[in-house]
């Protein structure tokens, strides 16, 4: 049977366009673009409610939690404030990510090894709300094992470093990704991946062992400037399906 990879479309940068005018315009309508992504084949919508609210706002989370045509994946920092929002809005998935206000985008993975004691009760609470949990981590053995130990349902392997590398260094990083994916699967964790993926990288990442989900945002929104989000998502779906 052919391997199916779920495509999560991250719509943060639709909200970025609205926020660069200080949220004073009624456009772009986030829900419209969510629907377009779903028409193109998105099987999940991903949003990151950042501490500094540079793109997604609380009102977006409220709206998408009410009108979700497909499962909603909320990327969030592991903080009491975010736990409160997850409890209120009940996304289908929470992807726990590190938060650093100064970073341009999420630059490294969550250090689950170091934060194990705090993460275990937080994950337990989220799961009691019926939410599944993935951990956005660097592809290392230690982080995968720690993710298993804190009770996560899945890991999202950070592809940001691999995407930028070339040649032998890229091969070495691929090996780390593949080993982390194999280990995660053997521990019963779902294998997700994301960050910096474009057409070329997606053609490669689909070969990652046990891959069940990718989350892609920036590239799809940029591509949408040419011929719309539905078309850019549809092309990406085709790539993930090997067409
Ligand atoms: N997955 C996670 C956990 C992320 O933080 C991001 C960026 O918000 C993405 C996936 C999507 O990355 P990109 O926008 O580079 O496709």
């Amino acid at each position: 049977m052919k391997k199916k990879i779920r495509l999560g479309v991250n719509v943060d940068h639709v909200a970025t366009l609205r926020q660069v005018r200080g949220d004073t315009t009624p456009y772009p309508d986030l829900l419209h673009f969510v629907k377009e992504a779903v028409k193109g084949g998105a099987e999940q919508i991903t949003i990151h409610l950042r501490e500094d609210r540079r793109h997604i706002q609380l009102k977006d989370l409220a709206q998408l939690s009410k009108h979700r045509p497909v499962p909603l994946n909320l990327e969030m920092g592991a903080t009491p404030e975010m736990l409160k929002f997850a409890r209120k809005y009940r996304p289908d998935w929470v992807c726990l990510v590190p938060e650093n206000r100064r970073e341009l985008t999420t630059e490294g993975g969550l250090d689950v090894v170091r934060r194990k004691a705090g993460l275990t009760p937080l994950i337990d609470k989220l799961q009691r709300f019926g939410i599944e949990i993935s951990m956005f981590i660097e592809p290392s053995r230690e982080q995968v094992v720690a993710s298993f130990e804190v009770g996560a349902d899945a890991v999202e392997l950070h592809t940001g470093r691999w995407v930028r590398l070339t040649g032998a260094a890229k091969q070495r990083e691929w090996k780390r990704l593949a080993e982390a994916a194999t280990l995660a699967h053997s521990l019963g964790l779902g294998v997700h991946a994301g960050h910096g993926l474009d057409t070329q990288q997606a053609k490669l990442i689909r070969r990652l062992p046990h891959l069940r989900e990718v989350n892609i945002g920036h590239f799809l929104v940029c591509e949408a400037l040419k011929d719309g989000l539905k078309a850019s998502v549809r092309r990406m779906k085709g790539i993930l399906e090997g067409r």
Side-chain angles (χ1 to χ4, degrees):
M1 207 178 74
K2 237 165 97 184
K3 179 167 88 166
K4 175 129 173 57
I5 303 169
R6 198 161 53 231
L7 174 58
V9 174
N10 180 318
V11 293
D12 288 353
H13 296 304
V14 175
T16 299
L17 283 176
R18 183 191 62 204
Q19 294 310 121
V20 290
R21 288 284 167 95
D23 204 1
T24 56
T25 58
Y27 59 83
D29 173 355
L30 193 64
L31 189 55
H32 168 78
F33 287 98
V34 162
K35 289 177 183 161
E36 287 299 294
V38 172
K39 280 187 207 159
E43 290 142 315
Q44 169 170 280
I45 293 298
T46 296
I47 53 174
H48 185 176
L49 184 67
R50 283 182 168 271
E51 227 179 280
D52 64 9
R53 306 288 193 274
R54 71 175 74 157
H55 37 58
I56 293 295
Q57 307 296 304
L58 204 49
K59 67 176 181 183
D60 299 320
L61 172 58
Q63 183 187 44
L64 295 183
S65 69
K66 221 189 272 171
H67 308 280
R68 59 184 105 172
V70 288
L72 182 64
N73 174 32
L74 174 65
E75 296 173 356
M76 59 176 228
T79 66
E81 185 197 28
M82 291 297 164
L83 175 67
K84 211 175 66 195
F85 297 146
R87 178 182 184 172
K88 180 160 182 196
Y89 295 109
R90 308 285 167 118
D92 300 275
W93 278 86
V94 156
C95 178
L96 290 173
V97 300
E99 274 271 355
N100 172 0
R101 276 166 189 263
R102 285 180 304 274
E103 68 191 0
L104 274 178
T105 176
T106 311
E107 279 161 11
L110 183 65
D111 191 347
V112 188
V113 174
R114 201 172 54 81
R115 299 184 58 183
K116 225 153 129 183
L119 287 169
T120 305
L122 181 94
I123 289 168
D124 184 54
K125 282 189 191 125
L126 288 165
Q127 287 171 333
R128 282 167 197 260
F129 303 150
I131 301 169
E132 294 193 86
I133 310 299
S134 69
M135 315 297 281
F136 187 51
I137 55 167
E138 295 297 325
S140 88
R141 206 183 160 77
E142 294 72 29
Q143 297 296 345
V144 172
V145 170
S147 299
F148 169 71
E149 287 171 350
V150 295
D153 299 286
V155 289
E156 178 164 330
L157 300 174
H158 196 320
T159 51
R161 200 177 119 74
W162 169 77
V163 156
R164 286 192 304 271
L165 292 170
T166 54
K170 193 175 186 81
Q171 294 298 327
R172 279 196 297 276
E173 186 67 8
W174 177 262
K175 199 160 167 269
R176 289 181 77 219
L177 283 164
E179 283 172 3
T182 303
L183 176 62
H185 180 74
S186 75
L187 293 171
L189 295 165
V191 177
H192 306 173
H195 213 281
L197 297 171
D198 62 10
T199 310
Q200 291 314 314
Q201 309 294 337
K203 281 182 189 162
L204 303 172
I205 201 71
R206 65 180 285 272
R207 303 189 184 284
L208 193 71
H210 312 294
L211 185 64
R212 283 294 165 269
E213 175 181 313
V214 290
N215 286 292
I216 309 181
H218 188 252
F219 174 76
L220 291 175
V221 173
C222 290
E223 280 289 286
L225 295 174
K226 290 195 284 199
D227 51 2
L229 191 58
K230 183 169 123 188
S232 73
V233 172
R234 184 165 284 159
R235 277 195 296 274
M236 187 57 79
K237 267 304 289 175
I239 289 166
L240 294 172
E241 285 167 5
R243 280 188 272 122

